[in-house]
Amino acid sequence: MNTRQHDPFKTAFDSLEEFADLISQVLNCPITIEDANHRLLAYSTHDERTDPARIYTIIGRRVPEKVINQLWKEGTIPALLQTREPIRVKNMDDIGLNNRVAISIWKQDEVLGFIWAIEIDKTLTDKDFDLLKKAADSAKNKLLQLQTRKNKKEEHSQEFFWKLLTGHLKGEKDIYERFHALKITPSPSFVIAVFQFPENITSKVEQNISYLLKTSQLMKILLYTIDCNQLIVLISAVNNKEPYQEFNRFVQTFVSTMNERYQIKGITPVYSSIYDDYQKIGQAYKETLSVLAIKEKFPAETKEIFNYQKLGIYQLFELILEKRQSEASENYSLKRLQEYDQRHHSNLVETLEVFLNKDNNINDAAKELNVHANTLNYRLKRISEIGDVNFKDPSQKMLLYIDLKLEKYK
């Protein structure tokens, strides 16, 4: 006698919507099917029973970010990425989530998506769990077809993005036509962000990056690509009341989340000025590379700087250095102080740099140098005498500050 459980899902279905309804009928509970990035693919329509999290997911066509974050924190999503078994998720009133059961849809070692079954008026049994596993197996081929189409689109998107970054596309009309061909709505304004990783980005890390960018709802991501150890992202700059604060929040959140979820540390984030001409994407990209170069030379001074506009005088360093080298000129005061330090093993140049870094604040500079304010005043007097420095002359102080930084930049 055959005692194996009948598989009601071994049947042809035209769409995932039809399949979601079938699962709902078999298990007698509301069903949603998501892709691996928590975008809604289908949901059962013949059941009015639901909860707020499901309603927001259906309306927004994606799982709300606060729900995703909470499911990461309490371990549900990490577990779903490790097991093929159904997982019971307890009620979470603060994010509008009722009791439910989730299962991953696998193809070999890759998760293609998830099925969620809400436990309303019933608790799923072990028999229901077996049926849910059969449903996940039957959904696999449909999700593979969707993924194949998605991967082809992403390949075309990345090729298009590289042509924009390297200036191989000219003409606003041609650029906009290519956006529309990829079914991407170009934003009226944008920035380029670059995240520099400590090591080259592996395929596994790339999957994590893709997941994070596609589930983040802080910013609208238009395009992204990867170059060795750099993630390059095109981001919409529309509808931001305080754009630079919001971009700072986005890049810092991305870095902290990569650390918290995937234990990747040491990512350096930067982003360009805001542009409204896609023919200038290459220029925006060069700005980000300039910020990275400055942050590498001056990590302490630029620790809280992520944006080209906030670089201040550092924006002009290449031009100033080129002029200095072409004229073979030297800063007389700085040269005198350097020679004095060499002869007497003193640190007047360091004292001057810290004092200028602290905007002439005696107390802050003394604290940084770990000396008494009186000691600092004495050193400043010696600096004034030896280097012929007038601390009341802002133009001389500014030039000293620039030349001190250029010494490091060189």
Side-chain angles (χ1 to χ4, degrees), residues 65 212 216 218 248-258:
E65 191 169 8
L212 206 54
S216 172
L218 288 174
N248 276 1
R249 180 182 167 213
F250 169 72
V251 299
Q252 289 175 292
T253 299
F254 178 90
V255 170
S256 63
T257 307
M258 287 298 295

Side-chain angles (χ1 to χ4, degrees), residues 7 12 38 45 61 80 99 118 137 148 171 185 195 211 264 271 280 313-314 349 351:
D7 186 349
H38 306 293
T45 56
R61 306 300 299 176
L80 286 169
N99 291 336
I118 304 180
D137 186 60
T148 300
T185 303
F195 298 87
Y211 174 87
I264 299 176
Y271 61 96
K280 294 182 178 179
I313 195 68
Y314 291 108
V349 173
T351 298

Side-chain angles (χ1 to χ4, degrees), residues 265-331:
K265 305 177 187 296
I267 302 173
T268 302
V270 298
Y271 61 96
S272 69
S273 307
I274 296 174
Y275 283 84
D276 57 12
D277 182 354
Y278 283 93
Q279 296 174 91
K280 294 182 178 179
I281 277 187
Q283 182 177 326
Y285 179 45
K286 287 178 183 177
E287 285 185 3
T288 64
L289 299 182
S290 296
V291 183
L292 284 171
I294 292 294
K295 286 179 76 69
E296 185 178 352
K297 294 284 186 179
F298 306 100
E301 295 92 331
T302 61
K303 184 179 179 181
E304 301 301 324
I305 295 177
F306 308 105
N307 166 238
Y308 185 77
Q309 289 295 324
K310 297 294 182 180
L311 279 181
I313 195 68
Y314 291 108
Q315 288 185 18
L316 307 176
F317 269 22
E318 285 290 348
L319 293 172
I320 299 170
L321 184 60
E322 184 179 335
K323 179 175 175 60
R324 277 279 191 261
Q325 290 173 336
S326 66
E327 296 176 353
S329 61
E330 291 181 305
N331 188 305

Side-chain angles (χ1 to χ4, degrees), residues 83-96:
T83 182
R84 288 166 166 77
E85 297 298 318
I87 291 175
R88 181 160 267 122
V89 183
K90 296 298 182 183
N91 179 68
M92 299 181 214
D93 286 333
D94 54 334
I95 56 172

Side-chain angles (χ1 to χ4, degrees), residues 72-303:
W72 268 96
K73 288 175 184 175
E74 56 83 40
T76 296
I77 293 177
L80 286 169
L81 298 176
Q82 296 294 325
T83 182
R84 288 166 166 77
E85 297 298 318
I87 291 175
R88 181 160 267 122
V89 183
K90 296 298 182 183
N91 179 68
M92 299 181 214
D93 286 333
D94 54 334
I95 56 172
L97 204 77
N98 286 351
N99 291 336
R100 62 190 64 209
V101 173
I103 189 168
S104 304
I105 302 168
W106 291 80
K107 171 61 176 176
Q108 296 177 342
D109 294 330
E110 183 181 0
V111 173
L112 302 177
F114 309 96
I115 300 174
W116 296 81
I118 304 180
E119 294 182 310
I120 294 180
D121 302 332
K122 70 168 291 184
T123 300
L124 297 188
T125 63
D126 289 344
K127 182 180 177 181
D128 293 328
F129 274 33
D130 288 336
L131 286 166
L132 200 53
K133 288 165 70 173
K134 294 179 187 298
D137 186 60
S138 295
K140 175 176 60 182
N141 289 334
K142 204 71 175 178
L143 264 66
L144 271 173
Q145 294 172 15
L146 293 173
Q147 187 188 54
T148 300
R149 291 199 293 270
K150 182 188 74 173
N151 288 343
K152 286 182 179 178
K153 180 185 176 183
E154 288 188 354
E155 284 178 14
H156 292 311
S157 297
Q158 292 193 8
E159 180 185 355
F160 170 52
F161 194 19
W162 271 117
K163 286 181 177 179
L164 288 172
L165 289 168
T166 53
H168 284 85
L169 280 181
K170 303 292 183 183
E172 188 177 29
K173 182 180 177 183
D174 184 25
I175 291 171
Y176 274 78
E177 284 177 353
R178 290 178 183 244
F179 266 118
H180 294 310
L182 290 167
K183 297 182 179 179
I184 300 171
T185 303
S187 171
S189 57
F190 65 88
V191 302
I192 293 290
V194 173
F195 298 87
Q196 185 159 286
F197 284 62
E199 298 176 350
N200 282 355
I201 296 168
T202 64
S203 58
K204 178 60 179 174
V205 173
E206 185 173 348
Q207 287 179 10
N208 297 336
I209 288 169
S210 176
Y211 174 87
L212 206 54
L213 290 177
K214 290 175 181 177
T215 56
S216 172
Q217 293 164 30
L218 288 174
M219 290 288 167
K220 182 181 178 182
I221 308 299
L222 300 174
L223 294 165
Y224 76 92
T225 189
I226 286 168
D227 181 26
C228 296
N229 69 330
Q230 290 185 348
L231 164 65
I232 309 163
V233 188
L234 177 64
I235 309 173
S236 169
V238 174
N239 299 326
N240 297 323
K241 294 179 181 178
E242 297 177 328
Y244 290 115
Q245 289 184 24
E246 293 181 39
F247 284 121
N248 276 1
R249 180 182 167 213
F250 169 72
V251 299
Q252 289 175 292
T253 299
F254 178 90
V255 170
S256 63
T257 307
M258 287 298 295
N259 180 15
E260 291 164 6
R261 291 186 186 173
Y262 310 115
Q263 292 72 57
I264 299 176
K265 305 177 187 296
I267 302 173
T268 302
V270 298
Y271 61 96
S272 69
S273 307
I274 296 174
Y275 283 84
D276 57 12
D277 182 354
Y278 283 93
Q279 296 174 91
K280 294 182 178 179
I281 277 187
Q283 182 177 326
Y285 179 45
K286 287 178 183 177
E287 285 185 3
T288 64
L289 299 182
S290 296
V291 183
L292 284 171
I294 292 294
K295 286 179 76 69
E296 185 178 352
K297 294 284 186 179
F298 306 100
E301 295 92 331
T302 61
K303 184 179 179 181

